Amino acid sequence: MSDNPPQKQPLRIGVILFPGFQALDAFGPLDVINVLSRTEPITLSLLSSTLTPISTASPDIPSTTGQSILPTHTYATAPPLDVLLVPGGRGSRGSSGPVTEAITFIRTVYPSLKYLITVCTGSGLVARAGVLDGRRATTNKMAFREMRDLRPAVEWVARARWVVDGNVWTSSGVSAGIDVTLAWIGEVWGEEKARGIADWIEYSRHEDKDVDPFAELYGL
Amino acid sequence: MSDNPPQKQPLRIGVILFPGFQALDAFGPLDVINVLSRTEPITLSLLSSTLTPISTASPDIPSTTGQSILPTHTYATAPPLDVLLVPGGRGSRGSSGPVTEAITFIRTVYPSLKYLITVCTGSGLVARAGVLDGRRATTNKMAFREMRDLRPAVEWVARARWVVDGNVWTSSGVSAGIDVTLAWIGEVWGEEKARGIADWIEYSRHEDKDVDPFAELYGL
């Protein structure tokens, strides 16, 4: 953040939403960002193909419950961003309009970002955008083999709670999004800030990115 | 659940929303319930005073970020419920319309519930409804003294990740909502189901309700 002027500009964060996103993939990091924004200047955009409310329910899974969230911008009206956060979920698969438009947006916006953060199979969207080719990255552990086959040009890391390669932070499944967001905050604002937020939300963090009990659980 | 007929009826879950609810208080449990609903029959209602989208942003806190969620029912149109989940957050304080209407709804609906679950300062709303008088309960640890003073007739438990008293499950702050929901699922559907969901969301659970690192942190 050394390129910021003394009068700090807000950090401009965007989060991608698509039908069938995993609620906690997005709302773990978002809750952390909401707490962060009580003391740090942040702007947040919730981005999707349209301004229609986006449901966590995926058309192809017989879950009976879901929640609908209001986007603030479409990809066409997205403001300039410093950070993009990409959640995963059942709906990150396939080639529906919302998925292909998310991938196109990620590919287009990545060169102007300071940081790109993924949770769970959100790394699959970013991989399909070509951003992870030749990079180290991780993903949901139950879906690890699926992600590896989706984009073999990525150096997929099986045993990691999260992986940092350059300005790309990829995390493991669902709740790992909380850990990677706190770790990223530690990098940008300092570890004391990250610890304060973790304590505030009474969250027992994974603090070591290389400790991953779920890799073993899923035989990786 | 022994009073259910062999052809299982869906379990009817309601979640209370009000302006300034803490995102993760609601979306930790909701994510767990979404995964549960892939295999178990569940109906979910998101309840508020009106059908207007409800923001996590609280009017009295200078956070710059927030997310807006669509309720599915008002308190006036709420369907019959078996389970009510009450999140907390900055907006659970005071005597605004949405807060007093939530308290009135909790008081009215409680006698017909099988289970009542609270996260964080959601216990304050339930306490003010009179439901916790004479019961053991816990709450957010940073707000513990505030909650104790709010309703001294409750037997507030300082050192607990969550507390079960009869059919009322109260949990500690924010992320503790994930733990109490998983523990409750263990009670209703069995521990294997709870463990499967925790593994699915790659969540390292607090499995012991009496282990609470945050009570000590906040000097309780």
Side-chain angles (χ1 to χ4, degrees), chain A:
Chain A
M1 309 289 285
S2 57
D3 54 341
N4 276 348
Q7 178 68 32
K8 269 195 192 170
Q9 298 298 312
L11 195 72
R12 301 163 300 184
I13 303 179
V15 177
I16 280 187
L17 298 177
F18 47 83
F21 75 96
Q22 182 82 17
L24 191 55
D25 282 20
F27 278 99
L30 282 169
D31 195 79
V32 167
I33 290 166
N34 289 346
V35 177
L36 177 70
S37 80
R38 293 185 174 198
T39 57
E40 303 299 325
I42 304 281
T43 64
L44 178 69
S45 309
L46 303 176
L47 307 162
S48 196
S49 299
T50 70
L51 292 179
T52 311
I54 306 295
S55 175
T56 61
S58 189
D60 69 336
I61 286 280
S63 70
T64 54
T65 71
Q67 300 81 47
S68 291
I69 317 306
L70 289 187
T72 61
H73 299 78
T74 67
Y75 298 127
T77 66
L81 297 173
D82 301 306
V83 184
L84 185 67
L85 191 140
V86 183
R90 185 67 219 168
S92 66
R93 275 78 164 187
S95 299
S96 66
V99 165
T100 55
E101 287 163 39
I103 292 170
T104 300
F105 179 75
I106 294 164
R107 185 183 294 126
T108 306
V109 78
Y110 175 68
S112 66
L113 297 176
K114 289 180 181 167
Y115 300 98
L116 175 61
I117 302 170
T118 73
V119 183
C120 197
T121 55
S123 58
L125 292 171
V126 174
R128 290 159 74 190
V131 169
L132 298 182
D133 288 355
R135 286 187 191 269
R136 298 174 71 250
T138 197
T139 189
N140 181 291
K141 292 307 141 64
M142 200 192 290
F144 186 83
R145 293 171 181 87
E146 177 193 347
M147 292 297 114
R148 191 181 53 194
D149 295 347
L150 187 69
R151 193 81 177 188
V154 181
E155 194 182 322
W156 292 106
V157 179
R159 189 175 294 264
R161 188 67 172 171
W162 71 90
V163 167
V164 184
D165 189 324
N167 66 351
V168 180
W169 298 58
T170 55
S171 73
S172 195
V174 195
S175 67
I178 303 173
D179 296 310
V180 73
T181 305
L182 289 168
W184 169 76
I185 287 170
E187 171 86 3
V188 176
W189 285 275
E191 180 51 31
E192 194 180 346
K193 174 70 70 178
R195 190 180 303 116
I197 296 173
D199 290 344
W200 203 95
I201 65 170
E202 298 189 26
Y203 181 66
S204 298
R205 295 167 72 183
H206 282 260
E207 298 193 59
D208 185 335
K209 64 183 170 49
D210 298 320
V211 172
D212 179 9
F214 299 98
E216 189 163 4
L217 185 74
Y218 290 111
L220 300 173

